[in-house]
Amino acid sequence: PSGVSPPVMRMRMFFSFVRKAENRTLAHGTRVDIIPGKGKSKTRIPYGILPLRGRWLTKEPLDNRMQAPAYSGTPLSLQRSVSSMPEKVPAILLIAYGSCNAVGLAALRRFEERVRMRFPGRTVRWAYTSEHIRTRLASQVRAKSDSVTKALNRLILERFCPIAAQPLQIVPATENAQVEKLAAAVAGESGVPISVGTPLLTTEKDMRDCVRAVFSMIPPERKAGESVVLMGHGTRYTRAQERYDRLSAMLSAEDSAVHLATMSGDVTIEDIMPLLSSRRVWLLPFLSSVGRHTTVDMAGTQMKSWKSQIEAVGHECVPVIAGAIENENFADIWLEHLEEAAARIDVFPTPPVQKS
């Protein structure tokens, strides 16, 4: 109509679109919350939506505005409706640090296939904890990946409830604590039960299973008495470091030529070097998947890599480029932890026994 400026026209068209898009996600992934109230509505638009960035837009008179809550990332109307869903549609979220390496990505995909075989018919998604990895994947291979919070909110938006999440971490340290904190926050906001599985080295049984898995990962070409060095990430958490120390002692009790060191922690490669007694030394990563730590820090050609340091003192070093997730025995431990997390919220009830 005449007398209406273009910005006002755009605002009117925008509100018309918003009313039709209630509780849905815009094409570029930004969520819009509609807060109903006696035939009128107030819309909070997160940062990045024009024309008013990060402000509240409303059609109500100034003296009739409601106090709006802070934006949490999950639509309010979805939070209200989750508890009234007609049936439970569970989902699984696998959480990894992430990888831009083709070998590492392929290993994660194979683990996902094992999860789908163990839990047939269930939706399985991924979340990467590393923002650096997510950015590199988006820029280099144009692959979208979600953070933990975004992946959980996406599942909730798609009406999945409850959710079993399994981090592919080695020890309960900083990264694991952050995952549990984020999951608890999303569960508290949405009302959706979220159960998080434990890392690889959690219980004494995990330790014994890990010892068997380590020896199954050593190449059969290794001769008796040849030294084996495992490279772990390490941690400053005392309780998590105790897991490394305990596993190292158990490995040495089985074979005195097998050593576990970490990039940071109580026992590093410098502490292991005097213990290497064979001409040939096998070097293996004790990491969930292949990434920069494996290809550069462990097996790289630069002087500070573990391979170069071992060769500098006269040994022949044979690196093995394979993450723990590629070994079935390690994968079985994480799968068991996922089953335990799922059982805590009754995601996958045991089928009833048929009476004969």
Side-chain angles (χ1 to χ4, degrees):
S2 60
V4 179
S5 64
V8 173
M9 281 296 299
R10 287 198 295 269
M11 287 287 291
R12 291 180 178 178
M13 294 174 62
F14 178 77
F15 277 113
S16 175
F17 168 78
V18 165
R19 285 193 296 272
K20 297 177 183 178
E22 181 174 358
N23 303 326
R24 290 203 289 268
T25 302
L26 300 182
H28 57 286
T30 304
R31 297 190 179 96
V32 177
D33 287 354
I34 306 297
I35 305 175
K38 294 185 178 180
K40 300 177 181 180
S41 64
K42 169 175 285 187
T43 307
R44 184 187 193 282
I45 310 301
Y47 182 87
I49 297 289
L50 294 177
L52 299 179
R53 296 184 176 181
R55 298 184 183 180
W56 286 87
L57 307 182
T58 180
K59 293 182 63 178
E60 297 180 12
L62 290 175
D63 58 353
N64 192 34
R65 293 186 178 181
M66 300 179 295
Q67 181 65 35
Y71 182 72
S72 64
T74 304
L76 299 178
S77 53
L78 176 57
Q79 295 178 19
R80 291 191 296 270
S81 63
V82 166
S83 59
S84 60
M85 289 173 57
E87 60 177 340
K88 291 184 177 181
V89 184
I92 295 173
L93 180 65
L94 302 177
I95 302 171
Y97 179 82
S99 178
C100 295
N101 184 283
V103 176
L105 289 172
L108 295 177
R109 285 194 295 268
R110 286 193 295 271
F111 181 76
E112 178 185 337
E113 293 173 1
R114 293 200 62 187
V115 171
R116 293 183 183 277
M117 291 177 62
R118 186 74 66 94
F119 305 104
R122 300 302 183 188
T123 295
V124 181
R125 301 282 177 82
W126 281 97
Y128 290 161
T129 60
S130 170
E131 183 179 0
H132 174 69
I133 293 293
R134 298 196 302 270
T135 302
R136 285 189 62 191
L137 287 173
S139 62
Q140 294 182 4
V141 297
R142 298 186 180 278
K144 294 183 179 180
S145 54
D146 289 341
S147 65
V148 174
T149 300
K150 187 174 181 180
L152 289 171
N153 279 328
R154 189 187 297 276
L155 287 169
I156 294 170
L157 186 67
E158 296 176 23
R159 305 297 181 90
F160 287 102
C161 172
I163 300 171
Q166 179 57 53
L168 301 181
Q169 295 156 356
I170 302 294
V171 293
T174 307
E175 189 176 350
N176 181 252
Q178 182 68 11
V179 167
E180 292 180 344
K181 180 180 178 181
L182 294 173
V186 174
E189 292 175 358
S190 65
V192 173
I194 301 174
S195 180
V196 181
T198 54
L200 189 73
L201 298 178
T202 302
T203 66
E204 189 66 21
K205 178 182 180 300
D206 294 339
M207 296 288 184
R208 295 192 297 270
D209 292 341
C210 253
V211 170
R212 289 191 290 269
V214 166
F215 284 103
S216 70
M217 185 171 61
I218 298 174
E221 294 82 7
R222 179 227 179 189
K223 296 180 180 179
E226 288 185 335
S227 298
V228 176
V229 178
L230 299 171
M231 185 187 80
H233 188 280
T235 177
R236 286 179 286 183
Y237 271 34
T238 302
R239 294 185 62 184
Q241 183 60 49
E242 289 174 353
R243 303 293 204 287
Y244 283 118
D245 296 340
R246 172 65 176 151
L247 179 63
S248 177
M250 295 174 70
L251 291 171
S252 297
E254 293 287 331
D255 188 333
S256 60
V258 177
H259 312 281
L260 171 61
T262 56
M263 289 180 286
S264 61
D266 294 343
V267 181
T268 63
I269 184 63
E270 289 79 10
D271 300 311
I272 297 296
M273 297 285 280
L275 304 178
L276 305 180
S277 56
S278 61
R279 169 64 179 171
R280 184 166 63 172
V281 175
W282 297 84
L283 184 57
L284 288 76
F286 186 52
L287 304 166
S288 58
S289 60
V290 172
R292 181 179 176 84
H293 286 323
T294 303
T295 59
V296 178
D297 298 327
M298 188 192 81
T301 57
Q302 72 276 20
M303 292 180 58
K304 293 185 179 180
S305 74
W306 285 29
K307 177 177 180 290
S308 296
Q309 292 184 60
I310 293 173
E311 291 176 338
V313 294
H315 297 282
E316 175 193 351
C317 185
V318 183
V320 178
I321 310 299
I325 199 69
E326 300 179 54
N327 183 281
E328 291 187 359
N329 297 287
F330 282 117
D332 284 340
I333 301 174
W334 276 306
L335 285 173
E336 288 176 7
H337 293 183
L338 174 58
E339 288 179 337
E340 294 168 358
R344 285 196 293 269
I345 52 176
D346 197 26
V347 171
F348 309 103
T350 304
V353 178
Q354 298 294 334
K355 295 183 179 180
S356 57

